[in-house]
Amino acid sequence: MKKWLKRSAILFAIFAVFVCGLLIFLRTQSLPAATISQTSQMLDLNGNVIDTFHAGENRRSVKLEDISHYVVEATLAIEDRRFFDHSGFDVKGMARAVMVNVQSMSARQGASTLTQQLARNLYLTHERTWQRKMKEAMYTVQLEMNYSKDEILGMYLNQIYYGHGSYGIEAAAQMYFDKHANELTLAESAMLAGIPKGPKYYSPYLDMKNAKDRQRAILHAMMEGGAITKEQADSAYAEVLNFQSLEAGQSEGFAPYFRDYIRSIAVDKLGIDEHMLNEGGITIYTTLDPEAQQAAEDAIKKTMPAKSEQQAALIAIDPRNGYIKAMVGGRDYKTNQFNRVFAQTRQPGSSFKPFLYLTALQSGYMTPVTRFKSEPTVFTFDEGRKTYEPHNYNDKYANEFIDMRRALAGSDNIYAVNTIMTVGADKVIETARKLGIKSATMQPVPSLALGTFPVSPFEMASAYGTFANAGIHAEPVAIVKIEDRKGNVIYEAKQQSKQAISPAEAYVMTSLMESVFDEGGTGHRVSSIMKRPVAGKTGTTAADAWLVGYTPELATAVWVGYDKDRNLSVAEAHLAAPIFAQFTEKALATVPPKIFPIPAGVANVFIEPESGKLALDTCPTRRLETFISGTEPTEACGTPASAGEEGGAAKEDGAGAAKRHSWWQDLKRWWTD
């Protein structure tokens, strides 16, 4: 026993000497320069700065005595209730956190003191390594040695991030409530004290329920600590807070919806810590094309009536690599930050039909000359137990047999439902999924043909890009790479592309959708604006209007409608098309017009429109039609020019005929318009 006590005493003495020596050493060392002032940047495709994080004007320091005592009490109650009793490390808090985490088998509770948080925010990154934890411990000791508790508390409240670009309690008080920090009430203080835990979760601008739940937890903690009474806590929680709108400096500027999207991608998908994003000096390289973005904002502003409450959204993607070139989520970001590009509550209407007709072409049952009669029809499904009676727009019917090209151009609903009854709704859903319609909930019912299930503009543009890119679907990309403050690449996008459909199938669908802008098509009213080959489809429901279309370089979805339950007038439903046309022409003003390249596996033959048969020389009417090779008609109308010419002039070399046809049509339209 004596030997054991002697050894213990020696070990204790050695440990005491070591601790004393370490404390003396730390006392003589200077704290490193704070890293909190590092500014992060967001760059567009040309390398121009479109946003900065942690701009200097967003940090306003004040003395501790100029901060409401409610803020101090709320912060200590929820972050470090034994702040004035410990020397930088809360041993009791650590033990409690360990017990809670062990019992729950998860990291539910942390034990960092305010001093530890300050050391981490001022001098370190937020990487989870033992080396960082050791440095944090040393800096925590140094802070406690060199500063008083009030000084540490003041520094903490002046540097902590409160969301939306505001650093420090003074900046937060002015942004949220247009007050100084010393004017904050108990309810306001409890609300603000909850935000630093997770600004994207507890900001009242982003999620009021989470913010109120956090406020209630803080008020309860203050009550338990004796800072306030139960009556004060209940009264503060019931108080209706008067938040001011986000100021222009935080809410407007260039491409605000895109900037918000980049933030969410960086934090939620790429795992970039919010503190690193706002304070770490990182550089985010994005895909935004400033000319295209300006064209998008101008087209919407020019087309939409200034006093109308109608909303609009536009998303443009380069189909060749998935780069998001432009994004407008609404008409006024300052009053409403909801990004309608990602709204999954809007019905695409007839703009969904290309997925239906692609399925028809793939089925082997139908070709562009397959005919159905356009007339009022009652369809039976579910083994005869149910019926469905669609109607054409304004109850206008051809009352004759029409083919796929005419049905798509004129948006005939009877033809569409006949098609889905022929090929099967399940197959249509499979096709849409292959092209990028992933999040939408679709049911295999006849009305699917008419786009009755909501899809976001984002997914519509992405899916249409598959047609423009020879059947290759490129996953959308917004961030090309991210570099840290030293220029080291910490993230780099890898293009994800796959051959979703064959090039021939994509080209035939493109040829069909070009007719939408020809005379008789639903997009013809804007054909005079378009000075280049373009394909697309309109879509109109009672509350939504769309034009989704593309050139070889750009796939764009335009949606217009009201946020609340309100139907569109005829004039309001016609606004999507001019937005699309004006945007496309301005965004591609410096790009020479290009035809869609014709791949192998495509057959271009002259057909007789009334019958869909091959049109020989003696047929009264002829039209050049595009088919997937092997599906073109074999039965002929008329007789050949001579016995030595099999098929006469009815069948030409596919690529040559299509090029002559396409260029002649475009040249004729451009000249006459």
Side-chain angles (χ1 to χ4, degrees), residues 332-346:
D332 188 356
Y333 180 87
K334 183 177 180 180
T335 58
N336 192 322
Q337 293 85 50
F338 176 63
N339 193 340
R340 296 156 189 84
V341 163
F342 300 98
Q344 298 177 11
T345 57
R346 318 307 308 208

Side-chain angles (χ1 to χ4, degrees), residues 381-576:
F381 67 103
D382 194 16
E383 298 182 351
R385 291 188 290 267
K386 297 179 182 178
T387 60
Y388 179 57
E389 186 176 4
H391 298 274
N392 277 350
Y393 186 68
N394 286 335
D395 282 326
K396 292 183 179 180
Y397 304 90
N399 291 311
E400 62 182 2
F401 284 92
I402 61 174
D403 61 18
M404 189 181 294
R405 183 175 292 276
R406 184 176 173 186
L408 181 61
S411 206
D412 192 278
N413 290 338
I414 306 302
Y415 189 100
V417 178
N418 268 303
T419 300
I420 202 169
M421 299 296 287
T422 301
V423 303
D426 286 326
K427 296 294 185 182
V428 177
I429 294 174
E430 289 179 14
T431 299
R433 299 291 188 211
K434 288 180 181 178
L435 270 64
I437 306 298
K438 299 176 181 178
S439 62
T441 301
M442 297 177 282
Q443 300 296 324
V445 293
S447 64
L448 175 68
L450 309 186
T452 55
F453 294 97
V455 181
S456 71
F458 180 78
E459 289 192 342
M460 289 295 287
S462 176
Y464 269 61
T466 310
F467 296 124
N469 194 32
I472 299 174
H473 176 70
E475 288 292 332
V477 177
I479 297 177
V480 179
K481 67 176 178 178
I482 301 176
E483 293 178 348
D484 65 16
R485 72 182 73 169
K486 297 179 180 179
N488 300 314
V489 176
I490 57 178
Y491 167 79
E492 190 163 12
K494 295 180 180 179
Q495 186 173 339
Q496 300 180 29
S497 301
K498 66 177 181 178
Q499 190 77 49
I501 59 177
S502 73
E505 292 166 347
Y507 181 80
V508 172
M509 283 306 308
T510 295
S511 174
L512 292 172
M513 282 190 275
E514 284 183 295
S515 296
V516 169
F517 297 93
D518 291 339
E519 187 173 355
T522 56
H524 178 65
R525 61 182 175 275
V526 298
S527 62
S528 61
I529 302 176
M530 306 300 302
K531 305 301 180 183
R532 63 187 63 242
V534 62
K537 185 70 188 76
T538 58
T540 306
T541 71
D544 305 282
W546 301 68
L547 200 154
V548 189
Y550 55 92
T551 67
E553 308 88 359
L554 208 58
T556 305
V558 176
W559 167 87
V560 297
Y562 288 95
D563 285 337
K564 299 179 181 179
D565 295 332
R566 181 173 171 181
N567 290 343
L568 297 171
S569 66
V570 174
E572 290 172 335
H574 286 168
L575 296 178

Side-chain angles (χ1 to χ4, degrees), residues 558-627:
V558 176
W559 167 87
V560 297
Y562 288 95
D563 285 337
K564 299 179 181 179
D565 295 332
R566 181 173 171 181
N567 290 343
L568 297 171
S569 66
V570 174
E572 290 172 335
H574 286 168
L575 296 178
I579 291 174
F580 171 86
Q582 293 172 31
F583 162 73
T584 301
E585 281 303 312
K586 188 173 180 180
L588 298 176
T590 61
V591 179
K594 299 182 183 69
I595 65 169
F596 295 98
I598 304 172
V602 171
N604 294 280
V605 300
F606 283 101
I607 56 102
E608 195 276 313
E610 295 298 322
S611 65
K613 297 179 180 180
L614 285 173
L616 302 185
D617 289 345
T618 57
C619 280
T621 56
R622 297 196 305 167
R623 184 186 82 207
L624 187 65
E625 187 55 84
T626 305
F627 298 87

Side-chain angles (χ1 to χ4, degrees), residues 38-230:
Q38 294 294 319
T39 299
S40 296
Q41 294 182 324
M42 183 190 300
L43 310 181
D44 64 22
L45 195 60
N46 298 333
N48 302 313
V49 177
I50 57 176
D51 199 8
T52 59
F53 309 117
H54 170 46
E57 62 270 20
N58 291 331
R59 185 186 303 278
R60 302 177 179 93
S61 296
V62 292
K63 297 179 181 179
L64 184 62
E65 51 262 37
D66 292 329
I67 299 175
S68 168
H69 70 93
Y70 288 127
V71 172
V72 175
E73 292 164 354
T75 301
L76 293 176
I78 198 65
E79 295 289 348
D80 191 355
R81 65 178 62 187
R82 280 182 287 274
F83 173 73
F84 286 101
D85 298 324
H86 62 67
S87 298
F89 304 96
D90 185 359
V91 178
K92 291 182 179 179
M94 292 179 184
R96 183 186 67 253
V98 169
M99 291 182 64
V100 171
N101 294 338
V102 169
Q103 290 175 354
S104 64
M105 298 300 290
S106 63
R108 293 181 57 185
Q109 192 170 117
S112 291
T113 64
L114 290 189
T115 314
Q116 288 176 277
Q117 293 180 47
L118 181 62
R120 182 165 60 247
N121 292 337
L122 284 175
Y123 309 121
L124 300 166
T125 65
H126 290 259
E127 59 182 349
R128 297 181 177 181
T129 64
W130 285 108
Q131 184 179 14
R132 196 271 293 166
K133 290 181 181 295
M134 291 296 294
K135 288 182 177 180
E136 177 183 307
M138 289 190 296
Y139 295 149
T140 298
V141 172
Q142 288 181 279
L143 282 171
E144 290 281 341
M145 286 180 171
N146 289 280
Y147 299 97
S148 68
K149 286 290 188 180
D150 283 349
E151 289 175 328
I152 293 173
L153 184 57
M155 286 190 288
Y156 177 88
L157 291 173
N158 275 306
Q159 67 82 36
I160 198 69
Y161 182 57
Y162 286 91
H164 306 285
S166 294
Y167 292 82
I169 189 61
E170 176 72 8
Q174 292 188 13
M175 185 190 73
Y176 286 96
F177 301 112
D178 194 23
K179 291 183 175 183
H180 291 294
N182 63 353
E183 299 172 329
L184 293 171
T185 66
L186 171 59
E188 293 165 344
S189 298
M191 175 63 70
L192 293 182
I195 297 174
K197 178 73 173 179
K200 70 175 181 178
Y201 296 112
Y202 299 118
S203 165
Y205 291 126
L206 301 178
D207 195 321
M208 182 58 76
K209 182 181 183 303
N210 284 351
K212 288 295 290 183
D213 290 344
R214 180 76 171 161
Q215 180 198 41
R216 178 167 53 191
I218 291 172
L219 290 169
H220 183 72
M222 294 175 71
M223 183 184 69
E224 285 188 334
I228 59 174
T229 65
K230 184 178 186 304

Side-chain angles (χ1 to χ4, degrees), residues 228-268:
I228 59 174
T229 65
K230 184 178 186 304
E231 290 72 24
Q232 286 178 300
D234 293 340
S235 176
Y237 181 74
E239 182 178 335
V240 178
L241 298 180
N242 184 26
F243 296 101
Q244 67 166 353
S245 299
L246 288 174
E247 295 178 0
Q250 286 112 16
S251 62
E252 294 181 336
F254 192 61
Y257 292 97
F258 181 80
R259 290 174 6 225
D260 279 358
Y261 177 60
I262 292 298
R263 272 183 172 270
S264 67
I265 290 293
V267 175
D268 298 335

